[in-house]
Amino acid sequence: MPLTMAREGEVTSIKRVGGKDEVRRHLENMGFVPGTDVTVVSVNNGNVVVNVKEARVAISREMANKILI
């Protein structure tokens, strides 16, 4: 299921990162790598704020839909 389906505060593990090569590379550079734990902090106005690799990152809902957990 996509990251957007996770509840706030829920710790999940990334299974796969989809999308075009450049999008996948961009997400991987931000720390969204398969096997990494992520926690959804909040969902605001279409943006998803997550903790990944001890950093808080805000990504769009569109990008979050490409991250499968």
Side-chain angles (χ1 to χ4, degrees), residues 1-7 40 43 48 60-65 67 69:
M1 76 178 170
L3 183 60
T4 54
M5 300 294 287
R7 291 175 291 167
V40 175
V43 179
V48 180
S60 68
R61 179 174 291 281
E62 181 182 339
M63 293 284 245
N65 278 327
I67 301 168
I69 55 174

